[in-house]
Amino acid sequence: MKAAMEPLLYAAGVDLVIAGHVHAYERSKRVYNGGLDPCGAVHITIGDGGNREGLAHRYINPQPKWSEFREASFGHGELKIVNSTHAFWSWNRNDDDESVKADDIWVTSLVSSGCVDQKRHELRSVLMTS
């Protein structure tokens, strides 16, 4: 799925990818093609809402440079779209009786960075070959 979707998401200037199914939480820095890229998306894996199988405690170790935060705990996330260029993401650990904010990030739109303008030709090319 990564090989099929990542070039399209990158060319389209996607800022944030939120996915599951791993029973843990992890947030990346902006990445593309396995490495850091200021025009790539921030990836959030949030599959920690509850399950019978238990939490996924196995990660790639040592932690890759692209991985900003990771934790195998139950929790929930909140995404607040503040305006056309900024969003605020926070992840809250729910392991105890109360919610505790454990991770957060301001996501600034790639449109305001110039990345989207730089990739217009690439997006057209990806869309025409898909």
Side-chain angles (χ1 to χ4, degrees):
M1 186 169 154
K2 178 181 174 184
M5 294 299 298
E6 192 176 32
L8 178 60
L9 297 173
Y10 185 77
V14 170
D15 289 300
L16 187 62
V17 176
I18 301 173
H21 177 79
V22 172
H23 297 297
Y25 171 79
E26 185 166 25
R27 177 176 55 84
S28 76
K29 298 175 184 175
R30 287 193 177 271
V31 296
Y32 178 64
N33 200 23
L36 298 174
D37 189 314
C39 294
V42 173
H43 291 259
I44 294 174
T45 301
I46 181 167
D48 55 349
N51 63 76
R52 286 182 259 177
E53 299 89 9
L55 294 166
H57 291 280
R58 294 177 52 177
Y59 290 105
I60 300 168
N61 285 311
Q63 185 170 349
K65 290 181 182 179
W66 53 259
S67 176
E68 185 68 20
F69 185 93
R70 50 169 53 171
E71 185 171 316
S73 297
F74 292 112
H76 71 277
E78 296 178 37
L79 178 63
K80 295 178 183 174
I81 307 297
V82 178
N83 57 37
S84 63
T85 60
H86 289 80
F88 184 73
W89 167 262
S90 63
W91 178 73
N92 302 274
R93 181 183 310 109
N94 291 354
D95 280 354
D96 302 314
D97 289 337
E98 60 187 65
S99 174
V100 176
K101 185 169 22 172
D103 182 43
D104 61 40
I105 183 175
W106 279 97
V107 179
T108 304
S109 173
L110 291 172
V111 171
S112 63
S113 72
C115 286
V116 173
D117 287 338
Q118 295 171 11
K119 295 189 280 186
R120 285 186 196 273
H121 177 71
E122 183 179 347
L123 175 59
R124 182 174 292 124
S125 176
V126 168
L127 289 174
M128 298 305 280
T129 58
S130 297

